[in-house]
Amino acid sequence: MNRVPNRVLLPLQIDAVAPVWGAATHRLDGQTMGTGWQVQWVATGPAQAEPVRAAVQQELDLVVNQMSTWLPSSDMERFNRADAGTQHTVPDAMAEVLQAALWLADVSGGAFNPAAGALVNLWGFGPSPRYTDAGFVPPTDAAVQQALACNDWRSLRWDAVRRQIYQAGGLRLDFSAIAKGYAVDRISQSLAAMGLHHTLVDVGGELRGRGLHLSGQPWWVDLETPPLLAAQRLPVTRLALHGLSVATSGDYRRVYTHDGVRWPHTIDPRNGRPVAHGLASVSVVHPECLWADAWSTALTVLGREQGMALATEHAVAALFVQREADGTLTETMSPAMNALAG
Ligand code: AMP
Ligand code: MG
């Protein structure tokens, strides 16, 4: 991190934690959910690497076993394959994520949609077919219409008391836009429960920081920026990740081009097609990583104008990076993000 930041974002609240004197920084990493994870923690005494790794693995396994669309035996995949007209009890963690996802589906008018799995698959971003497969082509309009007919999250008839959902037929859940953030929260909480209060947790670029770095400074992270065309330089935005999480959704990761058209992996479930309104990325800062992750996807689908209106209404701290017609990038911050910038 040797670049000079152009903008610094600070938390509005400082936790009552003192730096740990005589401590060391420890680091572990691994693979999960088709991406990498990393945890760092500051502590005195023995590294505790084994219990930390076990705690991280336990949380990741729990999320994957319940919510992975890549694991045929997951609770989610069993629901996704179930016969029409069947009722299913949802395990606790999956219920927690589903409840949050349904709330956001509702307030975003379906821009965020945890039931968009059929569309996600159709466009090659689910387990199969993959857009990277030889000979893969974008779907026909008829296929899109067919998938659109079974992506209504309201047809799940979520029963919060019995924790049950209904399979109306062909509906496929996909929590890829929210589950990484949720896993980050679980890991961060699990480490805190072990007495580790100075931690930085990262799953696939979604981050949550608690306490302080070894230096007594907060955990500083630079917001992810889209790759630039030509000589333009975007400001470096550096965030003190203290009691905060950050997630970025972008149109430059997991994207393919067919016949000169770019197809990014964020789908607008309202028209069944990948988003195409020129947002290069949206970063969201929130105390909980689940919400940072889900909001960044929701705002990406809505686009800069509608996204900014919803972020303003719900006091969500968001930074929009728009790809203008001439290829240059422009940044816009929501009022809550401006407040972090001082
Ligand atoms: P993220 O990187 O967090 O924005 O999540 C993107 C992933 O979420 C995609 O690869 C899809 O699996 C899934 N997804 C795509 N579009 C949507 C949407 N509109 N609502 C919810 N999940 C989506
Ligand atoms: Mg997301």
Side-chain angles (χ1 to χ4, degrees):
M1 205 186 281
N2 44 20
R3 294 183 300 173
V4 178
N6 305 88
R7 183 190 292 128
V8 172
L9 303 176
L10 298 173
L12 301 179
Q13 283 179 331
I14 309 288
D15 295 340
V17 283
V20 195
W21 299 113
T25 306
H26 306 281
R27 194 188 310 250
L28 281 176
D29 56 32
Q31 296 293 313
T32 186
M33 302 181 202
T35 182
W37 63 264
Q38 185 183 82
V39 298
Q40 293 184 57
W41 69 101
V42 174
T44 45
Q48 300 193 63
E50 281 321 306
V52 169
R53 186 177 286 281
V56 171
Q57 201 58 53
Q58 182 176 332
E59 300 308 329
L60 291 172
D61 288 349
L62 182 141
V63 173
V64 167
N65 287 334
Q66 293 189 17
M67 296 171 242
S68 171
T69 49
W70 268 260
L71 187 70
S73 61
S74 72
D75 295 277
M76 181 168 286
E77 273 309 293
R78 282 190 278 129
F79 171 82
N80 287 346
R81 285 193 309 267
D83 292 338
T86 51
Q87 199 75 24
H88 301 262
T89 303
V90 177
D92 285 350
M94 184 173 158
E96 201 182 326
V97 181
L98 179 65
Q99 183 127 324
L102 291 175
W103 180 84
L104 192 53
D106 210 39
V107 304
S108 69
F112 185 89
N113 184 352
L119 285 166
V120 169
N121 266 358
L122 197 62
W123 286 97
F125 299 109
S128 157
R130 290 290 293 169
Y131 66 97
T132 45
D133 293 346
F136 177 85
V137 288
T140 61
D141 284 346
V144 170
Q145 290 309 319
Q146 205 180 346
L148 265 175
C150 52
N151 83 335
D152 185 355
W153 72 95
R154 287 160 297 214
S155 76
L156 289 165
R157 302 189 207 154
W158 166 235
D159 180 336
V161 177
R162 294 189 180 79
R163 292 205 332 271
Q164 286 194 336
I165 49 177
Y166 178 75
Q167 173 59 274
L171 185 138
R172 291 189 57 84
L173 291 171
D174 178 345
F175 288 1
S176 301
I178 186 170
K180 285 203 288 284
Y182 178 68
V184 167
D185 288 336
R186 288 196 71 109
I187 293 168
S188 181
Q189 279 149 14
S190 168
L191 298 183
M194 292 170 66
L196 300 175
H197 300 293
H198 303 280
T199 56
L200 182 66
V201 179
D202 172 352
V203 177
E206 326 278 34
L207 299 151
R208 179 165 173 162
R210 281 181 199 256
L212 301 166
H213 183 259
L214 184 64
S215 61
Q217 293 263 328
W219 301 97
W220 290 109
V221 301
D222 287 353
L223 294 195
E224 201 181 302
T225 49
L228 291 171
L229 287 177
Q232 195 195 356
R233 192 173 166 275
L234 269 185
V236 175
T237 301
R238 190 159 294 169
L239 165 67
L241 212 57
H242 173 87
L244 291 175
S245 304
V246 63
T248 300
S249 289
D251 77 349
Y252 51 94
R253 276 178 301 174
R254 282 181 281 151
V255 54
Y256 61 91
T257 304
H258 184 80
D259 288 345
V261 183
R262 277 167 65 84
W263 301 109
H265 72 133
T266 308
I267 313 288
D268 186 338
R270 300 165 302 177
N271 65 14
R273 313 183 73 78
V275 293
H277 42 43
L279 256 186
S281 73
V282 180
S283 296
V284 171
V285 178
H286 195 282
E288 289 178 61
C289 203
L290 168 143
W291 289 111
D293 191 0
W295 272 114
S296 66
T297 307
L299 299 178
T300 298
V301 177
L302 286 169
R304 181 167 59 179
E305 278 70 35
Q306 286 180 28
M308 182 62 85
L310 197 67
T312 304
E313 185 187 338
H314 290 275
V316 172
L319 172 72
F320 297 80
V321 181
Q322 180 78 19
R323 205 182 294 283
E324 305 293 354
D326 64 359
T328 57
L329 299 170
T330 51
E331 294 189 314
T332 325
M333 296 203 289
S334 70
M337 188 64 110
N338 260 317
L340 301 179

